[in-house]
Amino acid sequence: MLSSDDKKKYMQLAMDQAKIAEQQGEVPIGAVIVDPDGKVIGTGYNRRELDEDSTQHAEMIAIKEACKNLGMWRLIDCSLFVTLEPCPMCAGAIINSRIKDVYFGALDPKAGACGSVVDLFTVDKFNHHPRAIRGLYRDQCAQMLKDFFRGIREKQKAAKEAKKQAENN
Ligand SMILES: [Zn+2]
């Protein structure tokens, strides 16, 4: 059993992963997978732009690493910590890998598949139902995303103004 301090620690690790993504110009989303003993067996951060690959989400990368580390596709009794509510692809991969608990920070009203747009974890007919625990460091995780997108908008604005000025000269 993970203590509440443990859970905070793992979400902080996921946030550290998100920061690595941000440093590389990626949308800051990070994920960490821990085994039942609390050992970190997989980490990942969003690499969609870096790899030019729509499947390179933080959770997918963490799941692949965890499977490699354990030498099996089943991640039974493992927990996943991710800074943003998983999308349908990642929620599907979480179900397929039999992860037990999913802790996520920010909600994703546009693509969240753990309650925001759909709730894949509670679909009766699927044969595995991960437990979604939402809200751990929600504000901090959401703030990271907000800051990132604000930074992009500011850069775009600055580029536009620089262009305008160059045209006027
Ligand atoms: Zn995803």
Side-chain angles (χ1 to χ4, degrees):
M1 272 287 280
L2 304 177
S3 72
S4 69
D5 278 351
D6 287 339
K7 291 169 192 169
K8 283 183 188 165
K9 184 180 82 186
Y10 297 128
M11 189 56 101
Q12 282 165 1
L13 290 177
M15 289 160 76
D16 289 344
Q17 289 290 311
K19 281 171 201 150
I20 299 174
E22 182 165 28
Q23 281 158 10
Q24 304 191 46
E26 292 277 355
V27 178
I29 304 163
V32 165
I33 297 175
V34 297
D35 74 6
D37 299 323
K39 188 176 161 217
V40 174
I41 54 170
T43 62
Y45 58 88
N46 176 36
R47 297 182 52 92
R48 195 171 55 177
E49 304 291 342
L50 287 169
D51 296 341
E52 294 178 319
D53 182 340
S54 60
T55 70
Q56 285 290 68
H57 287 191
E59 302 95 308
M60 301 294 282
I61 293 166
I63 287 170
K64 283 179 198 207
E65 191 179 288
C67 291
K68 206 176 238 178
N69 278 334
L70 293 187
M72 61 174 102
W73 60 267
R74 287 186 191 86
L75 303 177
I76 291 175
D77 290 332
C78 292
S79 301
L80 182 142
F81 294 80
V82 58
T83 57
L84 180 67
E85 180 180 359
C87 74
M89 170 181 69
C90 294
I94 288 164
I95 293 169
N96 285 347
S97 57
R98 310 287 188 263
I99 286 171
K100 187 181 178 206
D101 292 328
V102 177
Y103 297 83
F104 63 87
L107 295 174
D108 188 350
K110 287 183 185 156
C114 303
S116 286
V117 178
V118 287
D119 193 348
L120 291 179
F121 292 173
T122 58
V123 175
D124 262 358
K125 287 189 173 175
F126 285 140
N127 61 353
H128 178 71
H129 303 100
R131 197 164 62 120
I133 304 103
R134 58 174 68 191
L136 191 58
Y137 286 116
R138 181 182 59 196
D139 295 342
Q140 290 90 333
C141 292
Q143 194 61 46
M144 262 197 297
L145 290 162
K146 272 185 209 153
D147 290 345
F148 176 78
F149 287 114
R150 194 184 52 216
I152 285 187
R153 280 195 302 273
E154 279 167 6
K155 260 185 218 156
Q156 284 170 342
K157 205 175 148 194
K160 224 176 170 179
E161 272 164 18
K163 199 182 159 203
K164 219 164 141 189
Q165 241 165 19
E167 281 168 359
N168 289 342
N169 286 340

